Amino acid sequence: QQLESFEVFNIGTGKVFSVLEVIHSFEKENKITVPHKIGPRRPGDVVKVWADTSKVENVLGWKAKRGLDEMMRDAWNWQLKLNQNA
C-alpha cells in the first residue's frame, strides 16, 4: 500500500541547549562522567541549530512536558533497560 500524503514535524522543547549544557545535565542527573574534549570548530560545523516546534503544537496540540534534566535521566534509564534485555 502506498502512502498518499504525510507531514513532517520537529519535536522538541523549542528551547536551545548547548552541547556542553546537555553533557553537564546528563552527568548531573545520572551521576556519571561523559568523556569529552573541547576543541576548535571544524570546517562545516553548524553554529546553531534548534527545532521550531510551532507546527506540532498547532497541528497536533503536542508540547514537550519535560525539561532537559528529566530528558537526560530518562534517556539513560531507557538505555540501561535496553542493555538488560539484550
Side-chain angles (χ1 to χ4, degrees):
Q1 183 176 355
Q2 186 177 9
L3 282 176
E4 295 194 17
S5 67
F6 63 91
E7 288 193 60
V8 175
F9 297 92
N10 283 323
I11 303 292
T13 63
K15 296 178 183 169
V16 178
F17 299 105
S18 71
V19 172
L20 206 50
E21 286 174 308
V22 172
I23 291 170
H24 289 160
S25 174
F26 189 90
E27 290 178 329
K28 179 183 73 159
E29 287 301 308
N30 298 299
K31 303 193 181 14
I32 60 175
T33 301
V34 176
H36 61 281
K37 196 182 332 180
I38 298 174
R41 191 174 299 278
R42 301 166 299 182
D45 277 351
V46 180
V47 176
K48 293 181 182 178
V49 64
W50 62 92
D52 176 356
T53 59
S54 60
K55 181 179 177 184
V56 74
E57 290 176 29
N58 294 330
V59 175
L60 301 179
W62 186 90
K63 188 170 179 141
K65 296 178 184 175
R66 292 179 174 81
L68 181 61
D69 290 343
E70 288 176 288
M71 290 186 278
M72 295 298 101
R73 184 191 62 234
D74 291 349
W76 186 240
N77 286 333
W78 178 76
Q79 183 63 48
L80 292 174
K81 286 181 183 178
L82 280 179
N83 290 347
Q84 289 172 356
N85 296 328

